[in-house]
Amino acid sequence: MTAARIGIIIGAVLALTWITLGFWAFVLVGIAMILGAFIGRLVDKPIDLRNLFNVFRGKRSSS
């Protein structure tokens, strides 16, 4: 599945949630999707938390 198809599916789920259940349900579903993606990424490949914090602080890494 391509990234474009995944983006379309995520957008459709969020849009339908907003239309049927309202804004706060939309926010909750969005947070749940982000959390699920992060957990899935951890299962696939461990994330180096030092590099992640450096990204948020604006530091660049060579790897």
Side-chain angles (χ1 to χ4, degrees), residues 30-49 52-53 56:
I31 291 170
M33 287 178 147
I34 291 169
L35 191 62
F38 185 72
I39 291 170
R41 179 76 177 199
L42 281 176
V43 169
D44 283 347
K45 178 181 170 186
I47 296 174
D48 185 9
L49 293 179
L52 183 64
F53 290 131
F56 286 123

Side-chain angles (χ1 to χ4, degrees), residues 1-61:
M1 194 176 276
T2 65
R5 283 190 182 166
I6 293 171
I8 290 170
I9 292 169
I10 290 171
V13 167
L14 289 173
L16 289 173
T17 301
W18 190 335
I19 291 168
T20 58
L21 301 175
F23 176 74
W24 292 110
F26 161 79
V27 171
L28 185 63
V29 168
I31 291 170
M33 287 178 147
I34 291 169
L35 191 62
F38 185 72
I39 291 170
R41 179 76 177 199
L42 281 176
V43 169
D44 283 347
K45 178 181 170 186
I47 296 174
D48 185 9
L49 293 179
R50 275 182 278 151
N51 285 341
L52 183 64
F53 290 131
N54 286 337
V55 167
F56 286 123
R57 291 190 321 203
K59 295 184 178 182
R60 297 184 182 255
S61 73

